[in-house]
Amino acid sequence: MEPVTDPEQLIKSEDPQHPANLICELCRKFYSWGWVTGTGGGTSIRHHDHIFIAPSGVQKELMQPANMFVMDYKTRGYLRKPTDLKPSACTPLFLAAFDRGAGCCIHTHSQWAVLVTLLVERDLGKDACFEIECIEQIKGIPKGRGKPGNLGYFDRLRIPIIENTAHEEDLTASLEEAMQRYPDTYAVLVRRHGIYVWGDTVQKAKTQCESLDYIFQLAVEMRKQQLLWARPQTVWGRFRARFESSTSFLPSGYHAQLYP
């Protein structure tokens, strides 16, 4: 790639698909959907060896291309750095996704994502991941890195959950560990915080983020109706599910799922 002589040219383009323009458009959409209120959340796109990153502290619905940070993927040095803005604290987590071959990474503070992490903790414990199956929208999620096609209706979707930290960048190690434990995942939930979702392209990352948010909202509503997210996979779990399905009242703290 040719050396950058004028950093400002990195973010100037009439093409709406240019990363600097596209990040602004995505942030406006995500704000309108309630995913990135109060300057929270973030988005980053890798274009060849350039990483375009939305800054910290800028209202997402007002984002402009001039606000973008641009990093060299190989050296991890900034090619363009607005002097009046702070780099996103999400940057090392975005880079972890790019190291796995992603072309785009999205971080939201979706309320549905947060609620799902709390339900899993209450009902299944802190070590459990979010699991669901037999929901049509699961088809919007790929099978895994290097695997052709997307999950099917009868497949089980698993999203790991990591614990939140006081500072965003301190999530990096646990995010990378979750990526290693669940190599097929394209998302990691952060308890009481939100979610990171990545995809091979911008379009795929956005599709997956939308699909997951739909699934999380549905999961919260299913729990209100005492409906199972997935079929129990043990003898005791099957017995328990049958018992609970015939019981109109569940004692406090009694959960309706059991994973292996």
Side-chain angles (χ1 to χ4, degrees):
M1 185 171 292
E2 296 181 2
V4 176
T5 56
D6 182 4
E8 294 308 302
Q9 294 303 312
L10 292 170
I11 51 93
K12 292 182 178 180
S13 175
E14 297 297 323
D15 182 2
Q17 297 302 308
H18 184 280
N21 297 327
L22 194 52
I23 286 176
C24 296
E25 177 63 21
L26 290 172
C27 285
R28 284 190 286 271
K29 287 184 181 295
F30 297 160
Y31 175 82
S32 70
W33 296 339
W35 289 0
V36 291
T37 53
T39 78
T43 303
S44 182
I45 296 173
R46 178 180 177 181
H47 183 66
H48 302 302
D49 282 335
H50 291 164
I51 306 294
F52 293 78
I53 311 166
S56 174
V58 175
Q59 294 178 332
K60 297 298 189 291
E61 76 277 20
L62 303 178
M63 193 80 64
Q64 299 295 324
N67 302 142
M68 294 300 115
F69 285 76
V70 185
M71 176 182 284
D72 183 286
Y73 176 68
K74 292 182 178 178
T75 67
R76 307 295 164 103
Y78 285 104
L79 301 173
R80 184 182 188 277
K81 189 175 183 180
T83 56
D84 59 335
L85 297 174
K86 292 182 180 181
S88 173
C90 304
T91 299
L93 293 99
F94 292 150
L95 291 173
F98 296 137
D99 288 343
R100 291 174 62 84
C104 176
C105 187
I106 299 167
H107 173 45
T108 84
H109 289 180
S110 160
Q111 295 180 42
W112 303 114
V114 173
L115 282 169
V116 157
T117 68
L118 298 176
L119 290 173
V120 171
E121 179 182 26
R122 184 194 68 185
D123 296 344
L124 301 170
K126 286 191 173 184
D127 293 333
C129 65
F130 171 75
E131 301 187 45
I132 196 168
E133 62 188 2
C134 296
I135 298 297
E136 184 71 10
Q137 198 66 35
I138 289 174
K139 293 179 179 179
I141 310 301
K143 289 183 177 179
R145 186 180 179 187
K147 297 181 179 180
N150 286 12
L151 294 173
Y153 173 77
F154 293 106
D155 291 327
R156 180 171 292 206
L157 171 67
R158 292 179 172 88
I159 306 294
I161 303 172
I162 61 176
E163 298 301 324
N164 197 25
T165 57
H167 303 286
E168 191 94 26
E169 57 270 26
D170 294 339
L171 291 167
T172 307
S174 55
L175 180 92
E176 291 175 334
E177 182 180 351
M179 289 174 165
Q180 293 295 325
R181 283 189 65 191
Y182 297 86
D184 289 336
T185 192
Y186 278 87
V188 173
L189 285 156
V190 184
R191 193 159 353 257
R192 298 177 180 269
H193 182 150
I195 190 171
Y196 281 85
V197 183
W198 57 93
D200 297 341
T201 66
V202 176
Q203 292 74 20
K204 289 182 179 180
K206 178 174 175 288
T207 297
Q208 290 155 208
C209 207
E210 291 173 358
S211 296
L212 288 171
D213 203 62
Y214 169 94
I215 290 169
F216 296 150
Q217 181 176 0
L218 187 63
V220 172
E221 296 300 325
M222 288 173 68
R223 181 62 88 227
K224 292 179 183 178
Q225 303 299 324
Q226 300 177 3
L227 297 173
L228 294 175
W229 290 344
R231 292 166 296 179
Q233 293 187 333
T234 65
V235 173
W236 166 240
R238 288 193 293 272
F239 168 81
R240 184 173 187 169
R242 286 197 299 271
F243 169 76
E244 292 175 350
S245 66
S246 63
T247 304
S248 59
F249 171 77
L250 292 179
S252 176
Y254 204 69
H255 59 76
Q257 285 183 258
L258 192 67
Y259 297 126

